[in-house]
Amino acid sequence: MLGGDGTLLATARTVAKAGIPILGINLGSLGFLTEVKQDEIPRALADVDAGRCEVSLRPCSIARCNAGRNALLLMRR
């Protein structure tokens, strides 16, 4: 996945149920969630290809807001 933290979150929502691992490559400015910087791409891809990588599972939370009722529902998957 190429992009910033927002792209990583959107991608994670899309593939979460399928259990597809994501390698976050930061093209944004901060990169709190993405782990690979642009200059690290060749090494990171070589590590993945050689099986020298670790998959870490992250918890997922869902928030739904109903502004008309002043309600916020927060669930954890």
Side-chain angles (χ1 to χ4, degrees), residues 47-70:
D47 287 346
V48 169
D49 190 43
R52 294 185 305 261
C53 59
E54 183 178 313
V55 175
S56 60
L57 301 177
R58 309 283 175 96
C60 179
S61 297
I62 301 170
R64 292 207 164 91
C65 180
N66 185 334
R69 294 186 178 182
N70 288 334

Side-chain angles (χ1 to χ4, degrees), residues 2 9 24 34-35 39-40 57 61 63 67:
L2 300 170
L9 292 171
T34 52
E35 295 190 23
D39 60 337
E40 299 170 339
L57 301 177
S61 297

Side-chain angles (χ1 to χ4, degrees), residues 17-39:
K17 290 183 180 180
I20 299 170
I22 301 169
L23 174 64
I25 298 174
N26 184 23
L27 298 182
S29 56
L30 292 177
F32 288 111
L33 301 175
T34 52
E35 295 190 23
V36 178
K37 298 176 186 170
Q38 291 181 43
D39 60 337

